[in-house]
Amino acid sequence: MTKSFNFSTEALGQLAQSDVARALAEDVGTGDLTAALIDPAAQARAQVLARESAVVCGSAWVEAAFKQLDPQARLVWHVRDGARCAADQVVFEVQGQARALLTAERTALNFLQFLSAVATKTAAYVALVAGTPAQIVDTRKTLPGLRMAQKYAVRCGGGTNHRVGLYDAILIKENHIAAAGGIAQVLQRAAPIAAQADFVEIEVETLAELAQALDAGARMVLLDNMDLAMLKEAVRINAGRAVLEISGGVTLAGLRALADTGVDRISIGTLTKDVQAIDYSMRFDAPQGGPQ
């Protein structure tokens, strides 16, 4: 976790308000023509059920979607972010203006199903490395404009966040090394600006490069696409001097073996870029109120 992240209730609310405003503008445009068929004075109640077991995530975005259209809407959550729901369990109930609930429904569910998918997938990876030193870490492979929402979802699933973007940490990769003239040279150039970054990490592809990085003072090393034998040897060579992270081609099937090598972190792009939406369903009661 880096110090750049702030997922306080207030920060989440602000983030969700911004994300939802863009989403509603995209969906509603000049007005919801179908919801206009409903009596504007009518009130309604609805329940949202999960159709499958999942780690719930996205309550701030759901709240923002309904309350941007009806500030008096009331939501009652039965399963909070980070907790697992069962299939067919009611996750939350909402009451408010019928038109507003109908218009906000798809936006609210889009965020809920997508962020819950990220959290649920992360939880599956986290469960497989239980009992090892390894942390499951996300990447910058996120949907444009929704990075912070997805990184919050990774947290809800028990994962750890990598850097937010290019501005808060230094991650030196193959092309940076080549452009700077070598591992020792690029780490030397990073030293004067290291205090501005949450961390400095360098990527290596061979055990020889790992040794060079450690000799040059590296304190965080990304081991890229190494096989199990190389990873075990890398852990031995490192001897606790630097934080070791694995990346590249990580799958659920091979995850436990990677974690058992003794590395500290396993970064996985698929947590945020290859997810299957969780199935949620909103069921409305009959509208109430309005002219008789």
Side-chain angles (χ1 to χ4, degrees), residues 34-246:
T34 312
L37 304 175
I38 307 303
D39 183 347
Q43 297 286 304
R45 291 191 302 265
Q47 296 181 331
V48 168
L49 298 87
R51 293 306 188 190
E52 57 189 303
S53 176
V55 175
V56 173
C57 182
S59 60
W61 287 262
V62 170
E63 297 252 356
F66 288 114
K67 291 187 176 181
Q68 282 191 23
L69 297 181
D70 178 7
Q72 303 307 313
R74 297 186 298 279
L75 290 89
V76 176
W77 288 87
H78 300 291
V79 185
R80 290 291 180 178
D81 283 6
R84 184 171 287 275
C85 65
D88 297 322
Q89 183 175 358
V90 175
V91 174
F92 73 89
E93 299 173 80
V94 60
Q95 183 171 354
Q97 296 171 3
R99 281 189 177 185
L101 301 193
L102 289 164
T103 299
E105 175 184 359
R106 177 42 51 200
T107 294
L109 292 186
N110 281 348
F111 280 109
L112 186 65
Q113 66 187 21
F114 176 58
L115 296 181
S116 294
V118 173
T120 302
K121 187 163 193 174
T122 301
Y125 279 82
V126 169
L128 276 178
V129 302
T132 75
Q135 295 180 315
I136 299 299
V137 183
D138 59 22
T139 72
R140 288 165 48 236
K141 296 175 182 178
T142 55
L143 287 182
L146 291 177
R147 177 168 296 172
M148 295 307 294
Q150 288 191 267
K151 284 185 173 286
Y152 169 70
V154 167
R155 290 269 194 96
C156 286
T160 300
N161 298 136
H162 210 284
R163 57 180 175 166
V164 177
L166 299 175
Y167 58 88
D168 63 320
I170 296 172
L171 177 51
I172 303 165
K173 306 195 82 173
E174 178 184 6
N175 288 335
H176 300 106
I177 294 170
I183 288 173
Q185 293 91 327
V186 76
L187 284 172
Q188 185 177 19
R189 291 191 178 191
I193 59 172
Q196 303 172 32
D198 286 351
F199 58 81
V200 177
E201 183 174 17
I202 187 165
E203 180 184 78
V204 301
E205 297 180 343
T206 67
L207 296 177
E209 289 179 351
L210 171 62
Q212 291 178 49
L214 293 172
D215 289 344
R219 292 293 175 262
M220 191 170 183
V221 181
L222 182 63
L223 308 173
D224 186 44
N225 284 308
M226 291 187 179
D227 61 27
L228 287 175
M230 287 181 68
L231 290 173
K232 291 175 182 178
E233 182 62 11
V235 171
R236 188 194 68 79
I237 292 170
N238 181 57
R241 286 180 284 175
V243 172
L244 294 184
E245 180 177 326
I246 294 174

